[in-house]
Amino acid sequence: MISPDDVQSIKLVQFSGGVTYNSNGYAVLPAYTIINILASVQPLTASEIRFLPEGTHYADFINILTDYPVDVDNTPSNLGDYFIWKNNVYKIYSAQDYQNFSNYSTNHINTTVSRDNRLTYNGTVLNLPFPQIDDTFAPLYQLIALASSCFSSPSLTVLWGFQQELRPEFPYCMVNIEHIDNLENTNYTAINHSTSTAYQSKSSVLTVNYKFYTYDKIQAQNLLEKFKINFESYTFTSNKIAYLGFDEGSNILNEELYENRTIFNGEVKMKFSLIVEQSQTSTMTINTAAATLSISN
């Protein structure tokens, strides 16, 4: 047990699975329960700080000691338990049974946790907020739907690149908008007579990178081929976006080291046209929308 003088009430979040992704390519949290437990919150010792990864902001790391059993996140399909302390959300990085028979702190679990800024807690609900884009740019979600349609059996996780740190389960497809050519000579301002408001029509050509991540080189190549064969059967539900063709040198197979293991990614670069009609007071452009959804290159 832990000495009663050292404990306080904190919250333990228990998830029932891993993160999934909706049809727009955004992460969705699994079902969860939140319970109150007693624990002791302690700063890291100097020796523990020495072993943190280089560049770590150690103030975000703390030790939480509890008698309550916890589940550590070991796989993408199991999100593991989290703590909520002072309305901040903490991911468990390690948990070890601890015994010290010279004082009251016996038979407890010593966890090292780090604040997870991706998750928010409003006092009632845990959220995984995602960057918002204006409804004007909703046709961009068709880029996710196109890839998903190529892998109906079995299905394949398709997500926007800004979520790469969530570590989806392999295999998966990550979508990034890498380059934008704004076609200034096609832009114009018009009047919507039904609402008596002015809007701007703007055209762009997008270079989109579809990356397929797997542990197996042959599987990565097969995903590439299946995508290139099946994508043309997809029908866009918006006339604001259209497929133009493959980018030069688009079929590339790479390998990299991920968590001490070699993984493979095959990438295909494609070009699409996009037309948006937005009010003159809109603050978002296609460039900012693309940057919101994609990982920085």
Side-chain angles (χ1 to χ4, degrees):
M1 60 173 289
I2 302 171
S3 172
D5 295 335
D6 297 330
V7 300
Q8 59 182 291
S9 177
I10 68 172
K11 298 183 184 299
L12 176 68
V13 184
Q14 297 175 309
F15 291 99
S16 62
V19 171
T20 56
Y21 296 84
N22 63 21
S23 58
N24 287 339
Y26 289 124
V28 179
L29 288 176
Y32 61 87
T33 56
I34 299 177
I35 60 175
N36 291 311
I37 65 171
L38 294 176
S40 174
V41 180
Q42 305 289 337
L44 295 186
T45 65
S47 60
E48 289 170 328
I49 291 175
R50 289 173 51 201
F51 291 101
L52 293 179
E54 185 177 353
T56 297
H57 188 248
Y58 65 84
D60 282 342
F61 279 82
I62 56 176
N63 280 331
I64 295 181
L65 287 65
T66 180
D67 294 332
Y68 202 92
V70 297
D71 180 28
V72 181
D73 175 17
N74 291 319
T75 66
S77 58
N78 174 32
L79 201 53
D81 294 342
Y82 279 61
F83 289 114
I84 299 175
W85 181 56
K86 294 184 177 180
N87 278 348
N88 292 323
V89 184
Y90 289 85
K91 174 183 173 67
I92 301 174
Y93 276 84
S94 68
Q96 297 179 339
D97 291 334
Y98 182 81
Q99 294 183 344
N100 186 344
F101 295 105
S102 64
N103 55 38
Y104 285 104
S105 298
T106 61
N107 300 324
H108 63 257
I109 297 174
N110 186 357
T111 65
T112 299
V113 303
S114 173
R115 182 175 175 182
D116 191 335
N117 293 315
R118 299 168 302 182
L119 301 179
T120 61
Y121 181 67
N122 63 7
T124 305
V125 179
L126 196 66
N127 291 302
L128 181 60
F130 49 79
Q132 299 284 346
I133 62 172
D134 291 352
D135 290 342
T136 301
F137 301 101
L140 292 175
Y141 297 139
Q142 297 286 299
L143 301 174
I144 298 290
L146 181 150
S148 296
S149 71
C150 298
F151 304 95
S152 57
S153 181
S155 60
L156 184 72
T157 296
V158 183
L159 64 146
W160 290 109
F162 76 90
Q163 300 167 116
Q164 65 167 353
E165 293 182 357
L166 291 177
R167 297 189 302 119
E169 191 165 15
F170 288 85
Y172 65 88
C173 174
M174 188 162 59
V175 182
N176 286 293
I177 302 172
E178 290 194 342
H179 185 73
I180 299 167
D181 289 314
N182 294 302
L183 307 180
E184 300 294 342
N185 60 331
T186 66
N187 296 344
Y188 62 89
T189 300
I191 300 294
N192 185 325
H193 294 287
S194 62
T195 60
S196 298
T197 57
Y199 66 90
Q200 294 178 319
S201 179
K202 297 184 176 182
S203 302
S204 305
V205 174
L206 314 179
T207 301
V208 181
N209 189 346
Y210 289 90
K211 272 192 175 182
F212 299 89
Y213 287 86
T214 74
Y215 284 124
D216 182 79
K217 184 176 182 179
I218 300 301
Q219 185 182 31
Q221 188 64 56
N222 288 340
L223 291 174
L224 277 178
E225 295 304 318
K226 188 171 184 179
F227 175 74
K228 292 195 296 181
I229 292 171
N230 293 340
F231 85 92
E232 290 191 66
S233 62
Y234 177 75
T235 301
F236 288 103
T237 59
S238 169
N239 61 3
K240 303 299 183 183
I241 190 167
Y243 165 69
L244 297 179
F246 286 103
D247 193 45
E248 289 186 16
S250 63
N251 189 359
I252 303 172
L253 191 60
N254 307 298
E255 65 178 70
E256 59 188 87
L257 193 63
Y258 175 79
E259 295 185 341
N260 297 319
R261 181 174 178 178
T262 299
I263 64 171
F264 300 89
N265 69 76
E267 59 179 272
V268 176
K269 294 184 181 182
M270 305 170 69
K271 291 188 177 293
F272 297 86
S273 63
L274 177 71
I275 301 174
V276 296
E277 297 175 353
Q278 56 189 131
S279 70
Q280 293 179 307
T281 59
S282 177
T283 58
M284 180 168 278
T285 66
I286 178 57
N287 297 78
T288 54
T292 297
L293 298 172
S294 305
I295 184 176
S296 300
N297 293 317

